[in-house]
Each structure stands twice: as C-alpha cells, then as structure tokens.
C-alpha cells in the first residue's frame, strides 16, 4: 500500500536572541518579531505485509519530500520514519504490537536521544465496540481507548511530549479527545 498526502502548514515562530536588557524593557514584546508563514509539503508512506504467522507488516514514511519552504518561518526538513507491527492471537483475540522509529536520519531537532524517537505500542480490541491501547511515547507511558458505536466514534489519548533535549528532561502531558460521526 502506498499513500501520498499533501498538507498545508501554518507556522509562527520567533527566531531571535535577546539580551537581558532588551527583555527587561517595559516595551519588550517578542510577538513583534513573530514570523508567520503558510507553506505546503508532500508526504509519502508505504506499508508492506510480510508472510508469517503473526501477520507482520513493515512501513516507511517520508515526510516533507516536496515543498516545506516556509519563508521567514523556516523550512520543514525531510524526515524518514520506519515501523513494524505484528498481530499475534492471544486467547482467540488478536492484539496489535507495533514499534516505530521517528526521524531515522536525525534531520529534525538537535538531539540524538533514541528514547525520544522510539515508540512502542500494544492494542487490544474487545468484541464489538471497545479498543484499549498502551505503550511508550518519547520514553513516557501512554494510553488510549476507542469507543466505536456504529454511527459515532469517540477516541481518547493520553501521552507526554518531551519538550527538552532528551527523554526525561522536561515533560508536557497531553490529553486528546476526538468525536466522529458517520458510519464506522
């Protein structure tokens, strides 16, 4: 399976250094130096099922392969991500085990912390309407659930973003809820 995705990116950033004197001035407002730009980029992804008892699948995604120039707000570097999944059967139920490595070539960010780029997950789907997920995201535990009610779907996700240079430096917890309506 191969997919191409076009995306629009709206970025706002301040890319300047300030002295302590400038910061302490009453009129200091870094938003005056804010660069706002909108750009476009293309992503490409591929999944390849392999033969085997546990239904292994390998995948690759190439992000920002075309475009990504955001003018004064910078550039979106190309990013390569690799992943794999397996679906073993436990007590007549199928579970999904997945792992991926983001930014294999270290094109984005300045850190080389593998824990920030490694993601591991386990998904268990109960019969009918409920799915539970757990895993590791950027070195922190994560979990989520999906309630699929035929005409409506509710997804919940809890994970922690690492905003420091390495996993465990500066955590930022996140909760996300998505509500979808339509035939599922």
């Amino acid at each position: 399976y191969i997919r191409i995705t076009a995306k629009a990116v709206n970025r706002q950033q301040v890319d300047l250094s300030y002295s302590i004197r400038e910061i302490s001035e009453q009129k200091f407002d870094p938003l005056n130096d804010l660069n706002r730009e909108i750009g476009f980029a293309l992503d490409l992804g591929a999944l390849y099922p392999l033969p085997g008892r546990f239904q292994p699948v390998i995948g690759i995604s190439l992000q920002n392969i075309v475009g990504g120039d955001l003018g004064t707000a910078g550039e979106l570097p190309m990013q390569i991500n690799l992943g794999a999944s397996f679906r073993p059967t436990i007590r007549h139920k199928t579970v999904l085990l997945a792992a991926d490595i983001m930014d294999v070539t270290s094109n984005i960010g300045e850190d080389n912390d593998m824990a920030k780029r490694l993601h591991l997950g386990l998904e268990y789907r109960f019969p009918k309407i409920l799915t539970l997920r757990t895993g590791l995201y950027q070195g922190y535990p994560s979990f989520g659930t999906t309630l699929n009610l035929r005409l409506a779907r509710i997804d919940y996700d809890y994970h922690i973003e690492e905003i420091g240079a390495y996993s465990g430096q500066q955590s930022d917890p996140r909760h996300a809820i998505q509500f979808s309506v339509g035939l599922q």
Side-chain angles (χ1 to χ4, degrees):
Y1 309 100
I2 296 176
R3 299 281 190 262
I4 296 176
T5 303
K7 63 184 175 186
V9 179
N10 181 354
R11 179 185 277 179
Q12 301 177 32
Q13 75 176 23
V14 175
D15 190 19
L16 295 172
S17 298
Y18 300 100
S19 69
I20 293 175
R21 184 179 150 272
E22 289 172 314
I23 293 171
S24 63
E25 289 179 359
Q26 193 172 30
K27 296 179 184 179
F28 176 73
D29 186 0
L31 295 180
N32 292 334
D33 299 320
L34 189 65
N35 295 319
R36 294 182 174 109
E37 295 283 346
I38 295 176
F40 299 92
L42 288 179
D43 298 343
L44 174 71
L47 292 175
Y48 186 73
L50 298 170
R53 179 176 169 210
F54 298 127
Q55 303 172 37
V57 176
I58 57 172
I60 184 169
S61 70
L62 307 171
Q63 295 180 296
N64 311 315
I65 57 174
V66 175
D69 183 8
L70 300 176
T72 59
E75 188 174 318
L76 299 172
M78 189 172 112
Q79 177 179 336
I80 300 172
N81 309 314
L82 297 174
S85 69
F86 303 91
R87 292 184 183 274
T89 301
I90 300 173
R91 294 187 180 175
H92 307 291
K93 305 291 183 212
T94 300
V95 296
L96 173 65
L97 300 169
D100 68 27
I101 301 173
M102 306 295 290
D103 191 26
V104 174
T105 58
S106 300
N107 279 347
I108 60 172
E110 296 178 5
D111 64 81
N112 290 321
D113 186 26
M114 181 58 76
K116 276 183 68 174
R117 298 189 336 250
L118 178 64
H119 306 123
L120 304 171
L122 175 115
E123 177 183 275
Y124 182 79
R125 184 170 300 180
F126 290 90
K128 306 284 183 199
I129 63 172
L130 184 65
T131 302
L132 298 177
R133 292 177 203 85
T134 188
L136 284 177
Y137 180 79
Q138 294 191 347
Y140 297 100
S142 64
F143 60 88
T145 187
T146 297
L147 188 60
N148 196 340
L149 303 172
R150 190 172 166 120
L151 293 178
R153 177 178 161 149
I154 302 168
D155 292 287
Y156 169 75
D157 167 62
Y158 169 80
H159 69 278
I160 297 174
E161 292 276 338
E162 176 56 63
I163 56 177
Y166 55 86
S167 184
Q169 182 181 20
Q170 183 64 46
S171 62
D172 186 16
R174 312 272 174 105
H175 298 269
I177 297 174
Q178 178 177 332
F179 181 72
S180 307
V181 179
L183 291 176
Q184 304 295 321

